[in-house]
Amino acid sequence: KKHHLGEDHVKVADTLSNIGEVRFTMGELDKAMYAFSKAFLVKKTILGENNLEVATMVNNIANVYVEEGEVDEAIKAYMEALRIQRAKLGDDDIVVASTLLNLGDLYVKKEDNTFAMECYQQTFQIRVQQLGKQHLDVAFVLEKIARIHAGEDDIESAI
């Protein structure tokens, strides 16, 4: 596609993203990061920095950072993806909730329970609103909230 369409074409970026996903799945993190980064640059140039496809590329880059154990870099990338998602989708979209959940998990790794709890509570509110109280994804985030409370010996809140 690159030869036919040129290097700076959205379809080339889509192919690079697909290659990145395959490499990521195979555990080839350096190659995944390369593909995602190239796709990000092409999409940012063509679609603009506030496009949802750009946010998806930033999210993919964050996922690689997570696997590499680069928590601070992953947080920066997820925050950028979140900024774009909120601007384009609003604060109450399920995609925003997923990114907040990922951020909460990273803050737990950093032992920053205050920010983790904030992310999880926002995720909980969005998921209840979008999916209903009985949805499994709501229970999943409630478990994460309870674990933080239990870790802080706040058993009453954990229950």
Side-chain angles (χ1 to χ4, degrees):
K1 285 187 180 180
K2 184 172 146 182
H3 178 70
H4 179 68
L5 299 171
E7 225 172 87
D8 291 335
H9 195 282
V10 173
K11 291 203 180 284
V12 172
D14 289 342
T15 300
L16 284 166
S17 178
N18 291 339
I19 291 168
E21 289 178 28
V22 170
R23 297 295 191 182
F24 183 81
T25 302
M26 294 173 64
E28 298 174 358
L29 300 180
D30 288 343
K31 291 177 181 178
M33 181 64 86
Y34 177 80
F36 288 144
S37 296
K38 293 282 284 184
F40 163 75
L41 290 173
V42 171
K43 287 190 179 210
K44 182 178 174 186
T45 300
I46 295 170
L47 303 173
E49 66 181 36
N50 291 320
N51 185 282
L52 284 174
E53 289 185 41
V54 172
T56 299
M57 292 302 96
V58 175
N59 192 74
N60 290 344
I61 289 168
N63 291 340
V64 174
Y65 281 135
V66 169
E67 289 301 309
E68 292 177 333
E70 298 287 338
V71 174
D72 291 331
E73 291 300 317
I75 288 172
K76 288 179 195 172
Y78 280 136
M79 291 297 286
E80 177 61 14
L82 184 63
R83 181 192 67 75
I84 298 167
Q85 292 164 350
R86 283 184 161 157
K88 293 297 182 182
L89 301 171
D91 291 334
D92 297 329
D93 192 88
I94 202 72
V95 173
V96 170
S98 293
T99 303
L100 285 166
L101 185 72
N102 291 336
L103 280 165
D105 291 346
L106 290 174
Y107 284 121
V108 166
K109 283 185 181 183
K110 288 182 62 115
E111 298 181 7
D112 188 338
N113 288 344
T114 301
F115 282 119
M117 185 64 81
E118 187 177 314
C119 291
Y120 289 156
Q121 287 174 337
Q122 289 179 52
T123 301
F124 172 75
Q125 291 170 353
I126 295 168
R127 286 185 172 181
V128 166
Q129 180 184 2
Q130 298 295 327
L131 304 172
K133 289 181 182 180
Q134 302 301 318
H135 197 279
L136 188 58
D137 288 348
V138 173
F140 181 72
V141 75
L142 275 176
E143 179 186 1
K144 290 179 179 280
I145 290 170
R147 286 181 188 270
I148 289 176
H149 285 303
E152 294 175 345
D153 291 329
D154 185 359
I155 302 303
E156 199 62 36
S157 294
I159 296 173

